[in-house]
């Protein structure tokens, strides 16, 4: 369809930080994380723009998917500042609350991330490439969904993005969320 742009987002594979629910550092994928995309190669259409967050784990996932991705700083993870490697559940609740909303508090706030992603979304929407494929940290995918759906910033933490998750957003006049069709089960007609 002319004028339609498609954005495919792929979350990086499993890391020690994602397995332990910690604020990530620039760690590599685990052996399980490296095996996850092995059978899920992506064949981008001609003219597609391929990007990845600058982190080791996003670039490694892109390579394993067969993608030659350009690292983009705007697709970097939520900056945890001094909390890299910390478990959110072990932090004082009042500090964690400020961390998530106050700009510049011990790193990047969720509001800062939403602004950064909002600015980046203009590029694939108006760009020449009909399709953009981006391998990013889960936080970037959460932020894209919050911005695309015009959801409240507080909903950021209510979106669960698993390692290796894929999301497609088409853009006509605005970004919309497209959920994948369910896999056809053997012997199911799809009728109630």
């Amino acid at each position: 369809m002319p004028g339609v742009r498609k954005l495919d987002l792929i979350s990086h594979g499993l890391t020690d930080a994602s397995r332990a629910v910690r604020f990530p550092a620039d760690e590599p994928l685990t052996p399980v994380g490296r095996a996850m995309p092995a059978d899920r190669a992506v064949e981008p259409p001609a003219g597609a723009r391929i990007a990845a967050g600058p982190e080791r784990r996003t670039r490694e996932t892109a390579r394993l998917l067969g993608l030659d991705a350009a690292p983009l700083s705007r697709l970097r993870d939520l900056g945890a500042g001094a909390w890299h490697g910390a478990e959110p559940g072990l932090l004082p609740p009042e500090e964690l609350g400020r961390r998530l909303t106050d700009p510049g508090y011990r790193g990047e706030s969720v509001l800062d991330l939403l602004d950064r992603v909002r600015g980046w979304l203009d590029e694939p929407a108006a760009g020449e490439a009909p399709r953009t494929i981006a391998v990013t940290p889960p936080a970037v995918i959460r932020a894209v969904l919050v911005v695309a759906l015009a959801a409240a910033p507080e909903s950021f933490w209510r979106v669960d993005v698993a390692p290796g998750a894929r999301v497609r957003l088409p853009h006509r006049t605005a970004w919309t969320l497209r959920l994948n069709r369910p896999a056809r089960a053997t012997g199911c007609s799809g009728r109630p």
Side-chain angles (χ1 to χ4, degrees), residues 109-145:
S109 73
V110 169
L111 298 177
D112 292 336
L113 174 62
L114 293 174
D115 286 342
R116 176 165 41 96
V117 165
R118 186 176 291 110
W120 175 74
L121 278 172
D122 292 341
E123 294 173 23
E128 293 297 316
R131 184 139 165 224
T132 298
I133 301 171
V135 180
T136 73
V140 172
I141 296 174
R142 284 187 198 109
V144 166
L145 294 174

Side-chain angles (χ1 to χ4, degrees), residues 29 67 95 111 168:
L29 300 177
L67 298 171
E95 281 195 39
L111 298 177
R168 172 167 288 171

Side-chain angles (χ1 to χ4, degrees), residues 7 9 114 117-118 121 141-151 169-171 174-177:
L7 173 59
L9 298 167
L114 293 174
V117 165
R118 186 176 291 110
L121 278 172
I141 296 174
R142 284 187 198 109
V144 166
L145 294 174
V146 169
V147 169
L149 299 174
L169 292 106
H171 184 279
W175 290 108
T176 57
L177 174 61

Side-chain angles (χ1 to χ4, degrees), residues 49-133:
R49 180 177 180 214
I50 313 298
E55 298 86 5
R56 180 177 177 184
R57 61 194 181 274
T58 56
R59 292 180 289 119
E60 188 176 357
T61 300
R63 268 194 315 278
L64 290 167
L65 290 169
L67 298 171
D68 185 16
L72 292 179
S73 177
R74 293 173 92 179
L75 298 179
R76 70 186 179 279
D77 205 349
L78 177 66
W83 289 351
H84 282 291
E87 293 180 34
L90 299 179
L91 299 171
E94 65 280 357
E95 281 195 39
L96 188 59
R98 286 196 313 259
R99 157 72 174 87
L100 302 180
T101 56
D102 289 355
Y105 184 78
R106 288 197 179 242
E108 184 179 30
S109 73
V110 169
L111 298 177
D112 292 336
L113 174 62
L114 293 174
D115 286 342
R116 176 165 41 96
V117 165
R118 186 176 291 110
W120 175 74
L121 278 172
D122 292 341
E123 294 173 23
E128 293 297 316
R131 184 139 165 224
T132 298
I133 301 171

